[in-house]
Amino acid sequence: MTYDLLDDLKWRGLIAQTTDEVELRKALAKPITLYVGFDPTAPSIHVGNLVVLFVLRRFQLAGHNPLPLVGGATGLVGDPSGKNEERTLNTTEVVGQWVDRIKGQLSKFMDFESSKNPAVMVNNLDWTAPMSAIEFLRDIGKHFSVNQMLNKDAVSSRLEKDGISYTEFSYQVLQSMDYLELYKRYNCTLQIGGSDQWGNITAGLDLIRRVESASAHALTVPLLTKADGTKFGKTAGGSVWLDPEMTSPYAFFQYWLNSDDKDVINFLKVFSFKSRTEIEALESAHTANPGAREAHRELARELTSLVHSPEIAERVEEAARALFGQGDLATLDESTLASALAELPHTRIEKGAEIPTWVDLLVATGVVDSKSAARRIVKEGGAYLNNEKVVGEDFRLQKTDFLCGKYAVLRKGKRDLAAVELG
């Protein structure tokens, strides 16, 4: 079967809207240039950004020319799309630092060395900063109808509430100018983005038509939601980031490993670069034996390998197994162990202080409500220290029990874990 990019994107559920699918198919018969924009609204991109970023990567793998854009200019203004109130504006210095960090992250997912279709990183501050306000108003602003701008969802929804500043109102014009500029510089004829960007993208198409008397294309990707209705990419601790300092590799791995059974195959379609045949095989295995969680593990492995590295993915998976008694905790390096234990209920013992009993520590971590409950667990044979069974109620940890000289793992039964850190 001949590979068809649009058909594959449809099967993966990655097409929300296109301007003209028939014409887009014709255009994709030859290599085209396309772009996706990422605004530096934080020091890192998050897993939600991967949806459209991976679509850009799929286009490159199909032979097209990708332009990942970091919004050094638009990031200073703020996109009103999907927001109920004004964003807090960050300083030029902060945004500049975030631009550099996000460029580094985007670079991991695109091939900039390809001999046929290398990716080109662009920053819209390069063409926006040199432009004077008068030039912007005369050369770009004159092509925009305020009436049409007011009808865009991102603007009209805000007007119905607390209103919108001219700064964020102008965002649409700036993004449209990006598309025009990339059309001029690179013959870029396709912009892709989240479905909430449809109004901004089509405004860019209209600007290209007015200024260049030419046509281009738009394709949007659905905003991903979870089966239970909660927001994708969010946990109790906040967003799931790509930066390992903001979301540890272990927590990142666990986020995918703990995906709902109803979500895991959809997540594989969206985030995995496995073929349709491979994903359908995983779906069959998942249906036959969901308890084996084979699809979940494949998802977590692939994404952790892509975002961090195959070596880190292997280490955090080993840590996950070891924590639940399926591996040797003593073989884990300190950084991997610390990353894994950071996600657990924990307590800290200061240097020089007396080390409490196992029972006292289990209560201190909050895994049980009382000492009597902890003692009962010991009597029933469900108490573990570093995967070794605790046999006495008054068992007291020794300094030699601390892994890497610093950490101890308490376990109640098969799955309830807690960590102790020796300060």
Side-chain angles (χ1 to χ4, degrees):
M1 182 184 296
T2 303
Y3 175 76
D4 183 284
L5 176 59
L6 289 185
D7 285 348
D8 184 61
L9 292 177
K10 280 187 175 182
W11 175 76
R12 293 175 185 274
L14 288 171
I15 297 181
Q17 300 157 296
T18 60
T19 40
D20 189 327
E21 184 178 331
V22 173
E23 290 301 314
L24 180 57
R25 283 185 181 275
K26 291 179 182 178
L28 293 176
K30 296 180 180 179
I32 67 166
T33 300
L34 70 155
Y35 93 97
V36 178
F38 300 90
D39 279 345
T41 56
S44 170
I45 57 177
H46 52 75
V47 293
N49 299 125
L50 291 180
V51 181
V52 70
L53 176 58
F54 281 10
V55 171
L56 186 66
R57 175 61 176 157
R58 295 182 200 281
F59 270 87
Q60 184 177 29
L61 291 172
H64 302 288
N65 306 295
L67 303 173
L69 179 148
V70 182
T74 43
L76 290 167
V77 172
D79 182 2
S81 302
K83 298 294 180 181
N84 295 322
E85 56 187 23
E86 289 281 320
R87 294 176 183 267
T88 301
L89 296 180
N90 296 297
T91 66
T92 303
E93 291 74 18
V94 167
V95 172
Q97 292 170 6
W98 291 355
V99 164
D100 291 338
R101 292 180 64 166
I102 291 172
K103 278 183 177 179
Q105 291 179 333
L106 296 179
S107 296
K108 297 178 66 173
F109 303 101
M110 311 304 300
D111 184 354
F112 291 84
E113 305 299 328
S114 170
S115 59
K116 294 183 179 180
N117 60 330
V120 177
M121 189 81 70
V122 292
N123 182 347
N124 57 22
L125 191 65
D126 293 343
W127 54 81
T128 306
M131 180 179 284
S132 70
I134 295 299
E135 287 176 307
F136 177 70
L137 292 172
R138 284 177 58 85
D139 298 342
I140 303 298
K142 68 179 180 180
H143 296 292
F144 286 81
S145 163
V146 171
N147 290 343
Q148 290 181 353
M149 292 177 69
L150 291 173
N151 287 329
K152 299 295 183 182
D153 290 341
V155 174
S156 61
S157 62
R158 290 277 290 275
L159 290 175
E160 293 172 359
K161 296 180 180 178
D162 299 325
I164 186 171
S165 70
Y166 177 76
T167 300
E168 291 197 6
F169 183 65
S170 69
Y171 183 92
Q172 183 183 130
V173 182
L174 288 173
Q175 183 171 321
S176 300
M177 187 172 71
D178 290 344
Y179 202 172
L180 173 64
E181 192 67 27
L182 294 176
Y183 176 86
K184 290 178 178 179
R185 294 186 180 205
Y186 298 95
N187 191 31
C188 177
T189 55
L190 173 63
Q191 182 183 357
I192 59 179
S195 57
D196 60 338
Q197 293 296 309
W198 181 252
N200 291 334
I201 297 174
T202 55
L205 295 177
D206 190 54
L207 182 61
I208 291 172
R209 180 182 62 80
R210 290 174 180 271
V211 175
E212 296 293 318
S213 300
S215 62
H217 303 280
L219 184 152
T220 61
V221 177
L223 298 180
L224 194 60
T225 56
K226 293 163 71 173
D228 62 5
T230 59
K231 192 170 183 179
F232 168 75
K234 294 285 188 180
T235 68
S239 296
V240 180
W241 303 96
L242 272 59
D243 188 314
E245 298 299 321
M246 299 172 70
T247 298
S248 72
Y250 182 85
F252 186 88
F253 184 92
Q254 289 295 313
Y255 176 78
W256 301 106
L257 186 64
N258 294 327
S259 299
D260 192 294
D261 285 352
K262 297 176 183 177
D263 288 319
V264 66
I265 300 304
N266 184 43
F267 286 175
L268 278 167
K269 291 179 179 180
V270 172
F271 296 106
S272 174
F273 287 93
K274 297 181 189 300
S275 68
R276 179 171 180 170
T277 300
E278 290 173 306
I279 292 174
E280 287 177 340
L282 284 169
E283 184 174 16
S284 296
H286 175 66
T287 301
N289 185 9
R293 301 184 74 77
E294 182 180 351
H296 299 74
R297 282 198 296 273
E298 285 296 321
L299 176 69
R301 287 169 184 157
E302 182 173 355
L303 279 162
T304 307
S305 295
L306 285 169
V307 171
H308 297 292
S309 75
E311 294 75 21
I312 289 176
E314 186 176 348
R315 288 205 300 268
V316 297
E317 185 172 10
E318 181 184 349
R321 288 196 300 265
L323 284 178
F324 293 101
Q326 299 170 1
D328 187 356
L329 285 167
T331 64
L332 302 182
D333 63 271
E334 184 173 346
S335 62
T336 302
L337 183 63
S339 171
L341 299 185
E343 309 302 318
L344 302 178
H346 65 278
T347 188
R348 180 182 175 89
I349 302 172
E350 296 300 330
K351 286 184 178 180
E354 182 181 11
I355 300 176
T357 64
W358 187 94
V359 165
D360 290 332
L361 287 172
L362 198 64
V363 174
T365 59
V367 174
V368 296
D369 296 329
S370 65
K371 291 184 180 181
S372 59
R375 291 191 185 100
R376 184 171 63 252
I377 292 164
V378 175
K379 289 179 181 178
E380 293 173 352
Y384 297 87
L385 168 68
N386 298 337
N387 291 335
E388 297 292 333
K389 185 170 288 189
V390 174
V391 295
E393 295 179 20
D394 297 325
F395 173 79
R396 191 180 300 272
L397 280 69
Q398 305 298 313
K399 288 186 178 181
T400 54
D401 291 320
F402 287 86
L403 303 166
C404 302
K406 193 173 183 180
Y407 302 105
V409 181
L410 311 181
R411 177 155 56 89
K412 179 190 81 171
K414 291 183 177 181
R415 302 201 63 82
D416 292 328
L417 295 166
V420 181
E421 181 178 355
L422 185 62

